[in-house]
mmCIF file of all heavy atoms in Angstrom:
data_model
loop_
_atom_site.group_PDB
_atom_site.id
_atom_site.type_symbol
_atom_site.label_atom_id
_atom_site.label_comp_id
_atom_site.label_asym_id
_atom_site.label_seq_id
_atom_site.Cartn_x
_atom_site.Cartn_y
_atom_site.Cartn_z
ATOM 1 N N ARG A 30 111.786 109.038 94.166
ATOM 2 C CA ARG A 30 110.577 109.681 93.650
ATOM 3 C C ARG A 30 110.891 110.759 92.614
ATOM 4 O O ARG A 30 110.141 110.930 91.651
ATOM 5 C CB ARG A 30 109.748 110.233 94.793
ATOM 6 C CG ARG A 30 109.089 109.112 95.589
ATOM 7 C CD ARG A 30 108.305 109.623 96.752
ATOM 8 N NE ARG A 30 107.532 108.573 97.379
ATOM 9 C CZ ARG A 30 107.218 108.561 98.669
ATOM 10 N NH1 ARG A 30 107.610 109.562 99.453
ATOM 11 N NH2 ARG A 30 106.513 107.570 99.173
ATOM 12 N N LYS A 31 111.993 111.479 92.780
ATOM 13 C CA LYS A 31 112.375 112.490 91.780
ATOM 14 C C LYS A 31 112.636 111.809 90.444
ATOM 15 O O LYS A 31 112.234 112.303 89.390
ATOM 16 C CB LYS A 31 113.629 113.247 92.245
ATOM 17 C CG LYS A 31 114.044 114.352 91.315
ATOM 18 C CD LYS A 31 113.020 115.465 91.335
ATOM 19 C CE LYS A 31 113.491 116.706 90.621
ATOM 20 N NZ LYS A 31 112.527 117.805 90.775
ATOM 21 N N GLU A 32 113.277 110.653 90.498
ATOM 22 C CA GLU A 32 113.656 109.954 89.276
ATOM 23 C C GLU A 32 112.515 109.163 88.636
ATOM 24 O O GLU A 32 112.417 109.103 87.415
ATOM 25 C CB GLU A 32 114.823 109.007 89.584
ATOM 26 C CG GLU A 32 115.457 108.407 88.350
ATOM 27 C CD GLU A 32 116.751 107.682 88.639
ATOM 28 O OE1 GLU A 32 117.359 107.901 89.717
ATOM 29 O OE2 GLU A 32 117.155 106.887 87.788
ATOM 30 N N PHE A 33 111.621 108.560 89.451
ATOM 31 C CA PHE A 33 110.669 107.596 88.895
ATOM 32 C C PHE A 33 109.184 107.923 89.096
ATOM 33 O O PHE A 33 108.342 107.364 88.400
ATOM 34 C CB PHE A 33 110.926 106.205 89.490
ATOM 35 C CG PHE A 33 112.311 105.689 89.221
ATOM 36 C CD1 PHE A 33 113.246 105.606 90.242
ATOM 37 C CD2 PHE A 33 112.695 105.285 87.947
ATOM 38 C CE1 PHE A 33 114.523 105.124 90.013
ATOM 39 C CE2 PHE A 33 113.970 104.810 87.701
ATOM 40 C CZ PHE A 33 114.894 104.730 88.730
ATOM 41 N N ALA A 34 108.817 108.779 90.039
ATOM 42 C CA ALA A 34 107.403 109.009 90.351
ATOM 43 C C ALA A 34 106.723 109.915 89.341
ATOM 44 O O ALA A 34 107.345 110.828 88.794
ATOM 45 C CB ALA A 34 107.257 109.592 91.748
ATOM 46 N N GLU A 35 105.432 109.660 89.119
ATOM 47 C CA GLU A 35 104.627 110.485 88.216
ATOM 48 C C GLU A 35 104.043 111.696 88.930
ATOM 49 O O GLU A 35 104.019 112.794 88.404
ATOM 50 C CB GLU A 35 103.459 109.663 87.653
ATOM 51 C CG GLU A 35 103.858 108.534 86.744
ATOM 52 C CD GLU A 35 102.658 107.716 86.315
ATOM 53 O OE1 GLU A 35 101.564 108.291 86.096
ATOM 54 O OE2 GLU A 35 102.796 106.487 86.218
ATOM 55 N N ASN A 36 103.479 111.463 90.132
ATOM 56 C CA ASN A 36 102.823 112.524 90.896
ATOM 57 C C ASN A 36 102.678 112.071 92.346
ATOM 58 O O ASN A 36 103.195 111.010 92.706
ATOM 59 C CB ASN A 36 101.455 112.883 90.272
ATOM 60 C CG ASN A 36 100.557 111.663 90.112
ATOM 61 O OD1 ASN A 36 100.330 110.911 91.057
ATOM 62 N ND2 ASN A 36 100.034 111.462 88.906
ATOM 63 N N THR A 37 101.974 112.846 93.164
ATOM 64 C CA THR A 37 101.878 112.517 94.588
ATOM 65 C C THR A 37 101.105 111.225 94.844
ATOM 66 O O THR A 37 101.348 110.558 95.835
ATOM 67 C CB THR A 37 101.212 113.653 95.393
ATOM 68 O OG1 THR A 37 99.943 113.935 94.830
ATOM 69 C CG2 THR A 37 102.075 114.888 95.394
ATOM 70 N N ARG A 38 100.180 110.863 93.976
ATOM 71 C CA ARG A 38 99.416 109.616 94.169
ATOM 72 C C ARG A 38 100.124 108.403 93.590
ATOM 73 O O ARG A 38 99.982 107.303 94.101
ATOM 74 C CB ARG A 38 98.030 109.747 93.561
ATOM 75 C CG ARG A 38 97.205 110.722 94.355
ATOM 76 C CD ARG A 38 95.757 110.536 94.121
ATOM 77 N NE ARG A 38 95.065 111.602 94.837
ATOM 78 C CZ ARG A 38 93.908 111.469 95.391
ATOM 79 N NH1 ARG A 38 93.284 110.332 95.302
ATOM 80 N NH2 ARG A 38 93.355 112.470 96.013
ATOM 81 N N ARG A 39 100.829 108.573 92.512
ATOM 82 C CA ARG A 39 101.558 107.479 91.867
ATOM 83 C C ARG A 39 103.049 107.752 92.099
ATOM 84 O O ARG A 39 103.747 108.206 91.207
ATOM 85 C CB ARG A 39 101.196 107.394 90.384
ATOM 86 C CG ARG A 39 99.694 107.148 90.164
ATOM 87 C CD ARG A 39 99.319 107.038 88.707
ATOM 88 N NE ARG A 39 99.863 105.847 88.091
ATOM 89 C CZ ARG A 39 99.354 104.610 88.217
ATOM 90 N NH1 ARG A 39 98.298 104.413 88.961
ATOM 91 N NH2 ARG A 39 99.910 103.595 87.609
ATOM 92 N N ASN A 40 103.473 107.436 93.329
ATOM 93 C CA ASN A 40 104.810 107.863 93.758
ATOM 94 C C ASN A 40 105.785 106.708 93.982
ATOM 95 O O ASN A 40 106.718 106.813 94.744
ATOM 96 C CB ASN A 40 104.710 108.764 94.988
ATOM 97 C CG ASN A 40 104.050 108.078 96.161
ATOM 98 O OD1 ASN A 40 104.015 106.866 96.258
ATOM 99 N ND2 ASN A 40 103.519 108.866 97.076
ATOM 100 N N VAL A 41 105.576 105.620 93.338
ATOM 101 C CA VAL A 41 106.411 104.417 93.165
ATOM 102 C C VAL A 41 106.879 103.656 94.404
ATOM 103 O O VAL A 41 107.150 102.471 94.293
ATOM 104 C CB VAL A 41 107.636 104.639 92.232
ATOM 105 C CG1 VAL A 41 107.203 105.078 90.855
ATOM 106 C CG2 VAL A 41 108.665 105.547 92.788
ATOM 107 N N VAL A 42 106.999 104.292 95.558
ATOM 108 C CA VAL A 42 107.513 103.576 96.727
ATOM 109 C C VAL A 42 106.801 103.978 98.011
ATOM 110 O O VAL A 42 106.262 105.079 98.126
ATOM 111 C CB VAL A 42 109.037 103.784 96.912
ATOM 112 C CG1 VAL A 42 109.840 103.029 95.874
ATOM 113 C CG2 VAL A 42 109.397 105.259 96.914
ATOM 114 N N HIS A 43 106.829 103.064 98.955
ATOM 115 C CA HIS A 43 106.363 103.294 100.322
ATOM 116 C C HIS A 43 107.511 102.956 101.251
ATOM 117 O O HIS A 43 108.285 102.041 100.980
ATOM 118 C CB HIS A 43 105.174 102.381 100.645
ATOM 119 C CG HIS A 43 104.879 102.287 102.118
ATOM 120 N ND1 HIS A 43 104.019 103.143 102.754
ATOM 121 C CD2 HIS A 43 105.356 101.436 103.077
ATOM 122 C CE1 HIS A 43 103.972 102.822 104.045
ATOM 123 N NE2 HIS A 43 104.775 101.800 104.260
ATOM 124 N N GLY A 44 107.592 103.663 102.365
ATOM 125 C CA GLY A 44 108.558 103.334 103.406
ATOM 126 C C GLY A 44 107.966 103.599 104.771
ATOM 127 O O GLY A 44 107.163 104.531 104.940
ATOM 128 N N SER A 45 108.316 102.797 105.730
ATOM 129 C CA SER A 45 107.844 102.979 107.104
ATOM 130 C C SER A 45 108.238 104.366 107.609
ATOM 131 O O SER A 45 109.290 104.889 107.251
ATOM 132 C CB SER A 45 108.455 101.918 108.015
ATOM 133 O OG SER A 45 108.181 100.625 107.532
ATOM 134 N N ASP A 46 107.392 104.923 108.487
ATOM 135 C CA ASP A 46 107.667 106.282 108.979
ATOM 136 C C ASP A 46 108.290 106.325 110.370
ATOM 137 O O ASP A 46 108.613 107.405 110.861
ATOM 138 C CB ASP A 46 106.407 107.144 108.926
ATOM 139 C CG ASP A 46 105.292 106.641 109.835
ATOM 140 O OD1 ASP A 46 105.482 105.636 110.561
ATOM 141 O OD2 ASP A 46 104.207 107.261 109.813
ATOM 142 N N SER A 47 108.453 105.179 111.012
ATOM 143 C CA SER A 47 109.096 105.127 112.325
ATOM 144 C C SER A 47 109.574 103.697 112.564
ATOM 145 O O SER A 47 109.052 102.755 111.951
ATOM 146 C CB SER A 47 108.117 105.529 113.427
ATOM 147 O OG SER A 47 107.120 104.525 113.591
ATOM 148 N N PRO A 48 110.537 103.506 113.439
ATOM 149 C CA PRO A 48 110.976 102.143 113.756
ATOM 150 C C PRO A 48 109.834 101.269 114.301
ATOM 151 O O PRO A 48 109.741 100.088 113.983
ATOM 152 C CB PRO A 48 112.074 102.350 114.798
ATOM 153 C CG PRO A 48 112.612 103.710 114.501
ATOM 154 C CD PRO A 48 111.404 104.511 114.073
ATOM 155 N N GLU A 49 108.934 101.873 115.086
ATOM 156 C CA GLU A 49 107.800 101.125 115.631
ATOM 157 C C GLU A 49 106.856 100.666 114.520
ATOM 158 O O GLU A 49 106.410 99.516 114.503
ATOM 159 C CB GLU A 49 107.032 101.980 116.657
ATOM 160 C CG GLU A 49 107.848 102.401 117.865
ATOM 161 C CD GLU A 49 108.840 103.538 117.606
ATOM 162 O OE1 GLU A 49 108.642 104.347 116.668
ATOM 163 O OE2 GLU A 49 109.855 103.596 118.336
ATOM 164 N N ASN A 50 106.551 101.581 113.591
ATOM 165 C CA ASN A 50 105.688 101.206 112.468
ATOM 166 C C ASN A 50 106.388 100.232 111.532
ATOM 167 O O ASN A 50 105.735 99.388 110.924
ATOM 168 C CB ASN A 50 105.204 102.435 111.711
ATOM 169 C CG ASN A 50 104.048 103.104 112.408
ATOM 170 O OD1 ASN A 50 103.363 102.502 113.242
ATOM 171 N ND2 ASN A 50 103.821 104.364 112.096
ATOM 172 N N ALA A 51 107.693 100.342 111.406
ATOM 173 C CA ALA A 51 108.442 99.400 110.570
ATOM 174 C C ALA A 51 108.231 97.977 111.082
ATOM 175 O O ALA A 51 107.966 97.064 110.291
ATOM 176 C CB ALA A 51 109.927 99.750 110.553
ATOM 177 N N GLU A 52 108.326 97.789 112.384
ATOM 178 C CA GLU A 52 108.098 96.458 112.962
ATOM 179 C C GLU A 52 106.711 95.944 112.635
ATOM 180 O O GLU A 52 106.540 94.799 112.224
ATOM 181 C CB GLU A 52 108.249 96.509 114.494
ATOM 182 C CG GLU A 52 109.639 96.248 114.988
ATOM 183 C CD GLU A 52 109.676 96.179 116.514
ATOM 184 O OE1 GLU A 52 108.844 95.459 117.115
ATOM 185 O OE2 GLU A 52 110.552 96.846 117.081
ATOM 186 N N LYS A 53 105.699 96.803 112.812
ATOM 187 C CA LYS A 53 104.305 96.412 112.531
ATOM 188 C C LYS A 53 104.128 96.090 111.048
ATOM 189 O O LYS A 53 103.489 95.102 110.685
ATOM 190 C CB LYS A 53 103.348 97.528 112.937
ATOM 191 C CG LYS A 53 103.242 97.739 114.422
ATOM 192 C CD LYS A 53 102.341 98.935 114.716
ATOM 193 C CE LYS A 53 102.468 99.353 116.165
ATOM 194 N NZ LYS A 53 101.797 100.625 116.425
ATOM 195 N N GLU A 54 104.660 96.949 110.195
ATOM 196 C CA GLU A 54 104.481 96.767 108.756
ATOM 197 C C GLU A 54 105.209 95.525 108.251
ATOM 198 O O GLU A 54 104.678 94.794 107.410
ATOM 199 C CB GLU A 54 104.963 98.014 108.006
ATOM 200 C CG GLU A 54 104.077 99.209 108.239
ATOM 201 C CD GLU A 54 104.529 100.451 107.501
ATOM 202 O OE1 GLU A 54 105.646 100.479 106.926
ATOM 203 O OE2 GLU A 54 103.757 101.424 107.492
ATOM 204 N N ILE A 55 106.407 95.295 108.748
ATOM 205 C CA ILE A 55 107.154 94.095 108.340
ATOM 206 C C ILE A 55 106.384 92.851 108.735
ATOM 207 O O ILE A 55 106.192 91.936 107.927
ATOM 208 C CB ILE A 55 108.578 94.110 108.935
ATOM 209 C CG1 ILE A 55 109.416 95.200 108.259
ATOM 210 C CG2 ILE A 55 109.247 92.737 108.796
ATOM 211 C CD1 ILE A 55 110.719 95.537 108.979
ATOM 212 N N SER A 56 105.891 92.806 109.979
ATOM 213 C CA SER A 56 105.171 91.613 110.434
ATOM 214 C C SER A 56 103.807 91.470 109.752
ATOM 215 O O SER A 56 103.250 90.380 109.703
ATOM 216 C CB SER A 56 105.014 91.607 111.956
ATOM 217 O OG SER A 56 104.181 92.660 112.381
ATOM 218 N N PHE A 57 103.276 92.549 109.198
ATOM 219 C CA PHE A 57 102.022 92.473 108.438
ATOM 220 C C PHE A 57 102.215 91.624 107.176
ATOM 221 O O PHE A 57 101.348 90.847 106.810
ATOM 222 C CB PHE A 57 101.547 93.886 108.054
ATOM 223 C CG PHE A 57 100.216 93.910 107.365
ATOM 224 C CD1 PHE A 57 99.055 94.026 108.106
ATOM 225 C CD2 PHE A 57 100.113 93.828 105.984
ATOM 226 C CE1 PHE A 57 97.810 94.049 107.478
ATOM 227 C CE2 PHE A 57 98.888 93.839 105.347
ATOM 228 C CZ PHE A 57 97.724 93.956 106.098
ATOM 229 N N PHE A 58 103.362 91.789 106.517
ATOM 230 C CA PHE A 58 103.597 91.106 105.242
ATOM 231 C C PHE A 58 104.516 89.892 105.311
ATOM 232 O O PHE A 58 104.485 89.051 104.421
ATOM 233 C CB PHE A 58 104.171 92.099 104.222
ATOM 234 C CG PHE A 58 103.190 93.084 103.699
ATOM 235 C CD1 PHE A 58 103.291 94.435 104.025
ATOM 236 C CD2 PHE A 58 102.139 92.697 102.880
ATOM 237 C CE1 PHE A 58 102.387 95.366 103.539
ATOM 238 C CE2 PHE A 58 101.227 93.602 102.388
ATOM 239 C CZ PHE A 58 101.344 94.947 102.716
ATOM 240 N N PHE A 59 105.370 89.824 106.336
ATOM 241 C CA PHE A 59 106.376 88.765 106.393
ATOM 242 C C PHE A 59 106.306 87.999 107.701
ATOM 243 O O PHE A 59 106.178 88.610 108.771
ATOM 244 C CB PHE A 59 107.797 89.363 106.274
ATOM 245 C CG PHE A 59 108.129 89.947 104.937
ATOM 246 C CD1 PHE A 59 107.889 91.287 104.671
ATOM 247 C CD2 PHE A 59 108.683 89.164 103.936
ATOM 248 C CE1 PHE A 59 108.198 91.841 103.430
ATOM 249 C CE2 PHE A 59 108.990 89.689 102.692
ATOM 250 C CZ PHE A 59 108.751 91.034 102.432
ATOM 251 N N SER A 60 106.443 86.684 107.608
ATOM 252 C CA SER A 60 106.602 85.871 108.824
ATOM 253 C C SER A 60 108.075 85.962 109.248
ATOM 254 O O SER A 60 108.930 86.341 108.445
ATOM 255 C CB SER A 60 106.230 84.416 108.553
ATOM 256 O OG SER A 60 107.183 83.830 107.673
ATOM 257 N N THR A 61 108.363 85.598 110.475
ATOM 258 C CA THR A 61 109.747 85.677 110.939
ATOM 259 C C THR A 61 110.666 84.766 110.128
ATOM 260 O O THR A 61 111.838 85.079 109.942
ATOM 261 C CB THR A 61 109.859 85.319 112.450
ATOM 262 O OG1 THR A 61 109.247 84.064 112.661
ATOM 263 C CG2 THR A 61 109.174 86.372 113.301
#
């Protein structure tokens, strides 16, 4: 974000905030 983001709303990347949410988020977009 320091290198590529414009501001707090246009911040170029998203990342899961916990291992539990990572599982949910991965399965939201990807099949096994």
Side-chain angles (χ1 to χ4, degrees):
R30 288 178 172 151
K31 183 68 170 186
E32 190 170 342
F33 301 109
E35 294 176 37
N36 54 52
T37 56
R38 291 200 185 214
R39 300 181 68 79
N40 60 22
V41 301
V42 287
H43 164 90
S45 304
D46 63 2
S47 70
E49 299 76 25
N50 280 341
E52 270 186 49
K53 291 176 193 170
E54 291 180 350
I55 290 166
S56 66
F57 184 90
F58 287 111
F59 292 91
S60 68
T61 53

